[in-house]
Amino acid sequence: MDWTVKHEFDIPTFVQQLVEEARALPATGKVADYIPALANVKPEQVGLALATIDGKLYSAGDAQTGFSIQSISKILGLVMAMNRVGDSLWQRVHMEPSGLPFNSIVQLEYEHGIPRNPFINAGAILIADVLVKHYSASRQAFISFIRQLAGCEQIFVDEGVFQSEKQHGSRNAAMAYLMKSFGNIEADVERVLEHYFYQCSVTLSCQQLATSLTFLANRGVHPQTNGMICSRRDAHRVNAILSTSGMYDQSGEFAFTVGLPAKSGVGGGIVAIVPGYGVICAWSPRLNHFGNSCLGMHMITRLAEQLGLSVY
Ligand code: DON
């Protein structure tokens, strides 16, 4: 098998074909319905974008339509927290797969309030605590960070999603209070949850997400601005944890079939990092029972296979 990235391949045509292929597949899965703001999204939308570190952007379908980034925001929160607190962060959150659904609470009790990794909800709430403690206005800092990465000031939080997340956030609140009881949450729990729900409620398109995360494919340096977003070591660490834990309970299968660090969100987005090459973002709202976009998985699998993108 040829493992090199096939640069000579007609990528624009293939990206378009993949969206058409995905649209023609029988509808499987279910749009997230735990809040009305997500349940009301048109399920048949399909977008795909590929941003390369040498500045190319290929996209097709609904790649410019904004969607709720949800758990994909956990990547950006983690990068901000790593930049602020350094290695001590890893005493408060670990880097192991959980082997449980993203919103599971059981492990937290017997592991003394230390989340398994930053990409399950408990871990992201812990990261939110770090941000609330280390920024005077953590939500503003978060949205500014995304605007900087996307090279666009017109990026906002969906107020409807934000309010609904807060109203339906009992399980996340339970996890936050449990961590607080173990002394692993320092700030006021309500402020921590506000930050967590806020970052989940940011709206971005496939094009914007793929472009924003190219620094993770480029050893921490944003290829468009040459700005250092995080250290080379931290880019490596984020990608490593994405590989084992970014697709929740389907991370093993995703590594097995696709072989890329990736993160999904219940808004139907999936980003996959191709170190040294670029970032893929696929979006379609219908989710499988793990919470990963059915068509997003399909398109990323096909693209990675065709271009030989696996890191393994
Ligand atoms: O925390 C929550 O329950 C939601 N904001 C879901 C976040 C998310 O995308 C998790 N999974 N894929």
Side-chain angles (χ1 to χ4, degrees), residues 34 70-71 74 102 121 165 172 196-197 200 248 264-266 291:
Y34 67 96
Q70 291 293 326
S71 281
K74 290 170 178 159
F102 62 85
N121 283 13
E165 292 279 359
N172 287 318
Y196 172 72
F197 294 133
C200 286
Y248 301 110
S264 60
V266 294

Side-chain angles (χ1 to χ4, degrees), residues 128 132-133 135-139 187-196:
V132 165
K133 283 293 276 188
Y135 285 92
S136 54
S138 66
R139 289 184 283 169
D188 170 60
V189 166
E190 293 308 315
R191 281 185 63 212
V192 172
L193 291 171
E194 284 260 331
H195 179 98
Y196 172 72

